[in-house]
Amino acid sequence: MLNRPSNPQSSEPAAQNPHAQSERRRVPVLPVRDTVLFPHAVLPLTVGRESSIQLIESLGEERTIVVAAQLDPRLDSPQPNDLHHVGTLATVHKVVRMPNQSRFVFTEGVNRVRLVNFTQTEPFMVAEIEPLEEIEPATSSNFEALVRNVVAQFQQIVAESPTLSDELRTIAANIDEPARLIDFVGSSLPFLTTTDKQQLLEAPSVIERLEQLNKHLAKEIEVQQLRAKIQNEVQDQVQQSQRDYYLREQLKAIQKELGEQDEGQREIEDLRKKIEEAGMPEDVKKEAMKELGRLGRMSPMAADYSLTRNYIEWLAVLPWSKSSGTKIDIGKAREILDEDHYELKKVKDRILDYLSVLELKPDMKGPILCFVGPPGVGKTSLGRSIARALGRKFQRISLGGMHDEAEIRGHRRTYIGALPGQIIQSIRRAETCDPVIMLDEVDKLGRDFRGDPASALLETLDPEQNNTFRDNYLDVPFDLSKVLFICTANMLDTVPPPLQDRMEIIPLQGYSEEEKVHIANRYLIPRQIKENGITPEQIEFPEEAVRFIIRHYTREAGVRKLEQTIGTVCRKQARRVVEGHKEKLVVKRDTVKEFLGGIQVRVDTEVAERVKRPGVAVGLAWTPAGGDILFIEANKMKGKGGFTMTGQIGEVMQESMQAALTWVRSNAPTLGLAEDFNKEIDIHIHVPAGAIPKDGPSAGVTMATVLASLLTDTPVRPLTAMTGEITLSGNVLPVGGIKEKFLAARRAGVETVILPAENRQNVEEDLTQEMTEGVTIHYAEHIEDVLAVALPLLKARSDAQAVAATLSASPAA
């Protein structure tokens, strides 16, 4: 006999009553999936399991079974522990054999029973059962109210449900027994889950079963009310849409009878007129008319109506054939360029060359220029000046930080809120097909999962391709060949080579002190006086004060910081005027110190002070902000030949240091050193400032000079700076950024500059006589040439030793 754990409430009385075992009936158990049979309910069951079929076939005249629900309906062969311990004793009224060998069984519940012990599991389950008595409470007002509430809620649900028969309301009202009412309502509600029904079947007392049923009925009423509310709202919307449609159709019919056009038709005719006047190419016009016909057949309430209308408006409003149409005047263009910018001869010549060719060949393609230079040298303002000189509209697109290639080419029309890219939007704003478009900060384009804008620019900036530029939104070709594109960048390192190849690179180098003085007097001071609300009669900037500001309060290749500083002085004077000081202010050194604070850049004494001791030299470096001086220091101490390099330097710079040390060691006798001079010392070379990353080969000669100075205990010539790459054989190779480096040396008060001999041409082309005045330039082909200038005491010492050696070697008289 199989003993199944039963409910403690039922097992204790069975243990106490010795006759309980003999009173229990043994009945076959039919396990069912997702089904709960209530007493007095008729339920048709489909029996397909082999064990269940055998159970039905074995029934005799009594035809009584227990219907019990499975805990897990997915089990095909349930065991006693897989069934709920409370089921329903049922009578089988009819069995129908189906074609697929299954049985269709009609059962009627009798009463609730508890499964106590299973006496058989094969071929089907048989269990001992005991009735589950109904525990009815004493009659009270609360109990009566609960029964009536259940009946009323059930009747309300039946009345509002389209699937339940109205007869159920009458039947429920005529049931007097609460337990039978519970069983009837529970078996009639289709929304109760199997778990809910099983809990309702298992609850021991009538009051508990009524409370459970009342809670389910209240929840269902709330759900029905919400469903009805939603249905009414949807129905109201549908009715309103149908009403609007009928009224609109009637309005169209009335307007047709009166010979009038409705608003939609007038709008389509306006768009048709714009398309005819836009001067589109034939293929574009064909596409626009096709979309316009599609728009005319569309209801204004359609989802695509506004999208199609916006697309047609974009096509109609673009300047397909409208140019600036201004006559080219070379003389006037030169005057405008000279008026707006000082110097920049190469850039101005290139623009005037373009204008000259354009006058001879009006259908020429626009050039793609790229201005490369440090901040503040006038790249962006130069673009505006070029547009004014050409008599064209100017549009600027900032590319800094742009990550999405759709910003250039636009989005597909299928996207919500789609628009053309920045190029087409700029063309629309300019209202001409040949504006000047400046792509600012092209070196700061980003790249991520949304695409690569730099790659999207390849087509835009290619004169051979951009005459059929296809924006993703428009999806028709647009001719950009007449547009003058001007790009700006601080450096070309981050610009992809294919993009560089499509642009004509024009470098804009930093300004000298003389050029800054001219720019300040001609542009910056008048502009800042005007912007700060004062007049030229209230303030004056003598040349000495301007030079003082340039030398001691700015350290830059451009003039942006200089203009900010001049603006600060003008604001101080504006405040003095408001406070009642009406006299004219003549800016002097003391005035500058009072307004701007103490000197911020001490360029005159820094170089001289730091190179007094041996092992310190001044190199020249190029940065995106212009040129700068670079101090390189070396020291030695007792050791075993170690060589330490610090200063956050890159691999190329470290290799230059190694090359410089190798040259010094290989030429030790020439420098007056022992061949194993580093055997008992360690050398440390450092490049301040340590927080700034540095790299490049152009400091090679400076490092060799520093090592020679340190090891020979000879200080470097005062106020001397140098640049150049060194090889192991001692050759000095050319470097770039000569103008920026030279101007940085001049700003720092350097009087002697050593450059590679092959950079002589750069000096002659980029530096004027005014820039080089007061600075001596030495050209070196070999490192010995550098040391001869930078370490004059070492050369004099070597010459004296050579003379002494010659005298000692000569025969006695």
Side-chain angles (χ1 to χ4, degrees):
M1 181 183 295
L2 296 172
N3 292 323
R4 181 181 184 277
S6 58
N7 191 297
Q9 294 179 353
S10 62
S11 61
E12 288 179 8
Q16 294 171 0
N17 187 356
H19 302 287
Q21 185 71 22
S22 60
E23 293 175 358
R24 294 174 183 165
R25 294 175 59 189
R26 294 185 180 181
V27 183
V29 178
L30 177 66
V32 291
R33 294 187 178 99
D34 291 326
T35 303
V36 175
L37 176 63
F38 283 91
H40 311 293
V42 177
L43 182 67
L45 298 173
T46 300
V47 177
R49 293 192 187 106
E50 184 63 30
S51 59
S52 299
I53 292 174
Q54 292 184 23
L55 184 152
I56 298 298
E57 295 294 336
S58 69
L59 294 176
E61 294 181 358
E62 189 177 357
R63 304 178 74 82
T64 302
I65 63 173
V66 173
V67 178
Q70 294 180 197
L71 293 169
D72 186 354
R74 295 171 297 178
L75 294 177
D76 290 330
S77 300
Q79 298 299 314
N81 289 332
D82 299 323
L83 303 179
H84 286 282
H85 65 275
V86 174
T88 304
L89 187 67
T91 301
V92 177
H93 288 296
K94 187 177 182 180
V95 178
V96 180
R97 187 185 300 270
M98 305 300 291
N100 59 355
Q101 303 304 317
S102 63
R103 305 292 188 272
F104 198 64
V105 182
F106 289 88
T107 59
E108 180 183 2
V110 178
N111 64 317
R112 301 184 299 161
V113 294
R114 186 184 308 278
L115 306 180
V116 181
N117 293 321
F118 282 83
T119 62
Q120 176 182 321
T121 58
E122 296 295 341
F124 51 83
M125 288 184 279
V126 177
E128 292 181 349
I129 62 171
E130 61 181 19
L132 197 64
E133 300 296 336
E134 300 287 354
I135 305 175
E136 295 191 8
T139 304
S140 65
S141 301
N142 290 338
F143 179 71
E144 185 67 25
L146 188 58
V147 172
R148 291 184 182 182
N149 195 43
V150 167
V151 173
Q153 288 180 330
F154 177 70
Q155 290 178 335
Q156 181 179 347
I157 290 172
V158 171
E160 295 179 1
S161 174
T163 59
L164 296 178
S165 173
D166 289 339
E167 295 179 357
L168 299 177
R169 301 168 59 187
T170 306
I171 296 173
N174 293 329
I175 297 176
D176 296 330
E177 300 176 16
R180 189 164 183 176
L181 175 66
I182 295 168
D183 294 333
F184 174 74
V185 173
S187 63
S188 302
L189 295 179
F191 59 84
L192 289 181
T193 65
T194 304
T195 304
D196 295 337
K197 290 182 177 180
Q198 185 65 33
Q199 290 176 352
L200 195 61
L201 186 70
E202 292 181 359
S205 66
V206 173
I207 189 75
E208 185 178 344
R209 298 179 73 195
L210 281 171
E211 288 175 350
Q212 288 185 18
L213 189 59
N214 185 57
K215 182 173 66 173
H216 294 311
L217 292 172
K219 181 180 178 182
E220 178 62 16
I221 289 175
E222 184 179 355
V223 171
Q224 283 190 344
Q225 290 174 348
L226 288 175
R227 176 179 168 277
K229 179 181 177 184
I230 295 171
Q231 185 67 22
N232 291 335
E233 290 177 354
V234 172
Q235 191 170 0
D236 291 343
Q237 291 176 0
V238 172
Q239 290 175 351
Q240 181 65 31
S241 300
Q242 291 175 344
R243 178 176 175 274
D244 293 345
Y245 174 76
Y246 291 138
L247 290 176
R248 196 173 290 109
E249 291 299 319
Q250 291 175 0
L251 180 62
K252 286 182 181 179
I254 294 170
Q255 289 173 338
K256 185 177 180 180
E257 289 295 327
L258 296 174
E260 298 177 354
Q261 286 184 335
D262 64 350
E263 185 178 349
Q265 290 298 323
R266 284 197 303 271
E267 187 175 349
I268 289 175
E269 288 303 319
D270 291 342
L271 289 174
R272 191 187 307 277
K273 184 178 179 181
K274 289 181 180 179
I275 292 173
E276 295 291 344
E277 297 174 352
M280 301 177 184
E282 280 303 317
D283 54 341
V284 178
K285 185 177 179 181
K286 182 179 178 181
E287 180 68 21
M289 297 303 290
K290 176 183 173 183
E291 290 293 326
L292 186 64
R294 182 167 168 261
L295 183 70
R297 296 188 298 271
M298 221 181 265
S299 168
M301 299 300 294
D304 290 346
Y305 186 85
S306 61
L307 300 178
T308 306
R309 180 176 171 275
N310 289 340
Y311 174 71
I312 297 172
E313 283 189 344
W314 268 102
L315 288 178
V317 79
L318 286 176
W320 296 93
S321 57
K322 181 182 177 182
S323 64
S324 55
T326 55
K327 181 173 176 58
I328 298 171
D329 188 340
I330 298 294
K332 183 180 178 183
R334 182 186 292 109
E335 289 178 5
I336 291 174
L337 292 173
D338 290 338
E339 177 186 337
D340 291 349
H341 288 82
Y342 180 76
E343 284 295 330
L344 303 177
K345 185 174 181 300
K346 286 184 179 180
V347 182
K348 294 177 181 178
D349 287 345
R350 181 64 185 88
I351 298 303
L352 295 175
D353 293 346
Y354 165 65
L355 288 177
S356 303
V357 176
L358 188 62
E359 187 170 3
L360 298 176
K361 190 175 184 295
D363 60 343
M364 75 166 292
K365 297 176 180 178
I368 314 294
L369 306 179
C370 182
F371 298 152
V372 181
V377 296
K379 299 185 293 297
T380 305
S381 60
L382 187 59
R384 289 194 178 88
S385 179
I386 291 172
R388 195 160 73 92
L390 295 175
R392 298 187 185 182
K393 297 289 185 68
F394 176 80
Q395 290 293 319
R396 174 180 167 272
I397 302 174
S398 178
L399 300 181
M402 186 180 291
H403 287 77
D404 192 353
E405 63 95 15
E407 291 286 339
I408 305 295
R409 283 208 188 108
H411 293 86
R412 301 282 180 192
R413 275 192 289 158
T414 52
Y415 291 105
I416 296 175
L419 283 174
Q422 291 292 334
I423 301 293
I424 295 297
Q425 290 189 40
S426 298
I427 296 288
R428 178 181 179 177
R429 287 193 294 266
E431 299 179 345
T432 60
C433 63
D434 58 349
V436 176
I437 295 182
M438 171 159 282
L439 305 175
D440 216 1
E441 310 292 356
V442 72
D443 58 326
K444 296 174 181 63
L445 279 170
R447 180 179 182 180
D448 64 5
F449 65 93
R450 288 168 289 188
D452 184 4
S455 299
L457 283 175
L458 293 178
E459 178 189 6
T460 308
L461 301 183
D462 191 343
E464 299 298 326
Q465 300 179 33
N466 63 9
N467 59 338
T468 57
F469 174 74
R470 211 174 258 274
D471 187 273
N472 288 334
Y473 181 82
L474 299 181
D475 200 26
V476 292
F478 190 92
D479 187 3
L480 297 178
S481 61
K482 296 180 182 179
V483 177
L484 174 57
F485 285 103
I486 300 176
C487 304
T488 69
N490 295 129
M491 60 173 66
L492 293 175
D493 297 358
T494 57
V495 180
L499 190 57
Q500 292 187 38
D501 187 56
R502 284 162 167 76
M503 301 186 294
E504 184 178 342
I505 308 297
I506 299 179
L508 297 183
Q509 298 166 336
Y511 296 115
S512 66
E513 184 177 308
E514 295 297 329
E515 290 172 335
K516 288 182 179 181
V517 171
H518 282 289
I519 293 170
N521 290 327
R522 191 168 170 180
Y523 306 103
L524 308 184
I525 293 175
R527 183 160 63 215
Q528 287 300 318
I529 288 175
K530 181 180 178 181
E531 288 185 359
N532 288 284
I534 56 179
T535 63
E537 290 74 25
Q538 293 173 325
I539 190 169
E540 178 184 347
F541 283 86
E543 183 176 325
E544 180 187 1
V546 176
R547 289 185 183 273
F548 184 71
I549 293 174
I550 293 172
R551 289 178 183 175
H552 297 288
Y553 290 90
T554 65
R555 187 177 232 173
E556 58 177 346
V559 292
R560 187 170 289 150
K561 182 68 176 177
L562 175 61
E563 183 173 9
Q564 294 173 0
T565 308
I566 292 172
T568 302
V569 176
C570 292
R571 286 191 292 274
K572 296 292 186 182
Q573 172 60 6
R575 179 179 173 184
R576 293 178 75 254
V577 170
V578 173
E579 290 175 349
H581 301 280
K582 303 296 183 182
E583 67 277 6
K584 182 177 183 179
L585 175 65
V586 179
V587 180
K588 299 180 180 178
R589 288 194 173 200
D590 295 340
T591 311
V592 174
K593 290 182 179 178
E594 178 186 350
F595 289 168
L596 303 179
I599 291 174
Q600 298 175 9
V601 182
R602 303 180 182 274
V603 295
D604 297 325
T605 60
E606 185 177 11
V607 175
E609 290 292 332
R610 293 181 65 169
V611 300
K612 285 183 178 180
R613 57 174 289 274
V616 182
V618 180
L620 299 175
W622 180 92
T623 69
D628 203 354
I629 61 171
L630 195 69
F631 288 95
I632 298 178
E633 302 177 351
N635 214 332
K636 60 182 179 180
M637 68 289 292
K638 285 186 177 182
K640 297 181 180 180
F643 186 54
T644 305
M645 300 168 285
T646 57
Q648 201 170 344
I649 52 181
E651 291 184 5
V652 177
M653 205 168 192
Q654 293 181 31
E655 291 171 358
S656 295
M657 292 180 178
Q658 293 285 359
L661 179 62
T662 300
W663 183 87
V664 171
R665 291 179 61 186
S666 62
N667 292 271
T670 307
L671 297 174
L673 301 171
E675 291 189 359
D676 58 348
F677 68 86
N678 65 332
K679 184 178 180 181
E680 297 182 353
I681 63 171
D682 286 346
I683 299 175
H684 185 169
I685 189 166
H686 179 68
V687 186
I692 301 175
K694 313 164 196 71
D695 205 359
S698 63
V701 296
T702 314
M703 296 167 185
T705 303
V706 165
L707 292 172
S709 169
L710 172 71
L711 297 171
T712 61
D713 200 24
T714 306
V716 176
R717 177 200 290 264
L719 301 178
T720 299
M722 62 200 76
T723 185
E725 181 178 353
I726 188 177
T727 67
L728 290 178
S729 57
N731 295 324
V732 178
L733 303 182
V735 293
I738 292 299
K739 181 179 179 181
E740 289 85 352
K741 293 177 179 179
F742 185 87
L743 295 179
R746 180 172 178 136
R747 284 196 301 269
V750 171
E751 297 177 355
T752 304
V753 175
I754 305 173
L755 301 175
E758 294 185 33
N759 285 118
R760 185 188 295 270
Q761 182 180 350
N762 300 102
V763 174
E764 294 172 352
E765 290 180 356
D766 298 336
L767 299 177
T768 64
Q769 187 175 355
E770 293 179 350
M771 295 180 188
T772 58
E773 186 178 354
V775 180
T776 304
I777 302 177
H778 295 273
Y779 297 99
E781 294 183 353
H782 201 269
I783 189 62
E784 281 86 350
D785 303 333
V786 177
L787 297 181
V789 177
L791 301 175
L793 296 180
L794 177 62
K795 186 175 184 302
R797 191 185 310 160
S798 299
D799 293 343
Q801 291 175 353
V803 171
T806 303
L807 293 175
S808 62
S810 61

